[in-house]
Amino acid sequence: MDGGVRRPCPICGSTQAADWGRKGAMRLVCCARCSLVFEGSPAAEFRDGTFYENTGAEFYLSPDKLRGDHSPVRYRREIRLLREFCPRGRILDIGCGTGGFLHQLSQAHPGDYEVVGSDIAGPALDHAEGLGIPILRGDLAVTLPGQPLFDAVTFWAVLEHLPDPAALLTIASRALKPGGICIALVPNVDSLAIRCLGVKYRYILPQHLNYFSGATLRALFAKLPGMRVMDTRWTHFNPVVLWQDWRGHEELASDENRARLLAKTNALKADRRWTPLRWAYQGVEGLLAIAHLADNVVVIARKT
């Protein structure tokens, strides 16, 4: 194993990796076999998920985080994407947090979907249940029914947090009906933001254990028996983040800073006075998506 890397590649299992970047205590490496960038030696609280139940719980319920996650504009792209591939049916959102996506989906398209959420952060799930969202708690390998029940399973910014993303994807795929859809969105390691900022980018942070490109995200899905990748998309661009991180001096942007900026940018998107600027922004975002340089990459796969 190279240079003290203790974690094998979560896609191909290789232990051969080269240094990619350092940030604080983080050591990011690039797999020599499949090119996945990942945290070589993540802290125990991120490997076992205790961070999200303990340290992270207060952040998920902070006013700025809740305001950002439950803004009417927060999940517009994700809802459009889901409806393109699954216009109705039973939906499981893994990593649902406080239920922002499922709540907005139900509000925007009442009667079209039966929604279920899952996560490991108890206080966030309590909030989601308070919105009337049915919740599966605990280990999905135990709590998911044995028979396939879902028309779609979604992972919005979840797989980058997991020490073994293939394991959870495999469990999720078993829960899909034949022909069911799995949609996974993650930060794009090939994005313009990372190309410009490197490890200064605020979403290179200890909670993120994996940094996918379109190619490595597809390679992850290729490991799943009975799943076929249908499409890959690139989406989202936040120029305010690019500007702030370029000028900023914080090694790690605080949770409060990230939540505050999310709430502010969502408010700008909802303000009609900014409509002409939004048109220009959408044009730039579209060009970055074509060039595969947008902030996030999405894979859509179907169960055969």
Side-chain angles (χ1 to χ4, degrees):
M1 192 170 288
D2 178 37
V5 178
R6 297 195 296 273
R7 180 187 177 212
C9 173
I11 292 181
C12 70
S14 173
T15 57
Q16 300 302 310
D19 283 341
W20 186 86
R22 294 176 182 265
K23 188 173 187 177
M26 300 171 63
R27 182 192 174 194
L28 301 177
V29 297
C30 180
C31 176
R33 183 184 298 168
C34 73
S35 299
L36 178 72
V37 175
F38 62 98
E39 166 62 274
S41 302
E45 63 177 342
F46 304 119
R47 294 197 306 271
D48 62 20
T50 53
F51 169 84
Y52 303 100
E53 182 67 24
N54 301 323
T55 310
E58 184 177 351
F59 167 59
Y60 298 125
L61 296 174
S62 65
D64 279 332
K65 177 65 171 167
L66 285 173
R67 187 161 57 250
D69 281 347
H70 290 268
S71 164
V73 302
R74 169 68 175 87
Y75 286 104
R76 279 181 180 171
R77 297 178 185 87
E78 289 85 346
I79 290 173
R80 284 199 302 268
L81 188 63
L82 174 66
R83 287 189 64 77
E84 179 181 346
F85 290 93
C86 181
R88 60 188 54 82
R90 195 161 194 245
I91 309 301
L92 173 62
D93 184 30
I94 297 179
C96 69
T98 56
F101 169 72
L102 294 178
H103 181 65
Q104 290 183 40
L105 178 65
S106 298
Q107 294 292 307
H109 302 283
D112 285 351
Y113 297 98
E114 180 184 351
V115 302
V116 180
S118 171
D119 210 318
I120 60 174
L125 292 178
D126 293 340
H127 185 93
E129 281 188 322
L131 297 173
I133 298 170
I135 293 298
L136 292 174
R137 293 178 183 259
D139 185 353
L140 282 178
V142 176
T143 58
L144 273 177
Q147 67 273 28
L149 294 177
F150 295 97
D151 298 286
V153 176
T154 55
F155 293 86
W156 305 120
V158 173
L159 299 182
E160 66 271 24
H161 294 264
L162 303 179
D164 187 0
L168 188 56
L169 279 173
T170 299
I171 293 168
S173 69
R174 293 173 185 153
L176 280 172
K177 298 175 183 177
I181 295 295
C182 181
I183 304 177
L185 176 149
V186 295
N188 175 24
V189 76
D190 289 335
S191 68
L192 177 67
I194 291 181
R195 288 171 184 260
C196 291
L197 298 168
V199 296
K200 284 187 66 176
Y201 186 47
R202 68 182 56 204
Y203 293 109
I204 294 179
L205 70 171
Q207 297 96 300
H208 288 179
L209 309 186
N210 314 302
Y211 296 84
F212 295 95
S213 63
T216 54
L217 188 58
R218 288 192 299 270
L220 176 64
F221 270 84
K223 292 169 61 73
L224 306 179
M227 295 294 293
R228 180 174 62 86
V229 173
M230 300 173 60
D231 202 356
T232 308
R233 306 275 180 92
W234 286 262
T235 181
H236 295 77
F237 172 59
N238 195 327
V240 180
V241 166
L242 190 61
W243 175 247
Q244 282 197 356
D245 288 358
W246 180 271
R247 297 176 62 246
H249 301 291
E250 287 183 302
E251 186 170 49
L252 286 170
S254 66
D255 290 340
E256 295 77 11
N257 182 306
R258 291 187 290 114
R260 193 178 308 119
L261 182 60
L262 175 63
K264 285 181 178 178
T265 53
N266 283 340
L268 288 174
K269 291 174 185 176
D271 190 334
R272 293 184 178 181
R273 292 173 297 178
W274 291 92
T275 297
L277 188 59
R278 281 201 299 274
W279 291 339
Y281 160 77
Q282 288 167 1
V284 172
E285 184 182 45
L287 291 173
L288 291 175
I290 292 169
H292 302 174
L293 296 174
D295 290 346
N296 298 321
V297 58
V298 189
V299 155
I300 304 98
R302 185 184 298 278
K303 186 170 183 177
T304 58

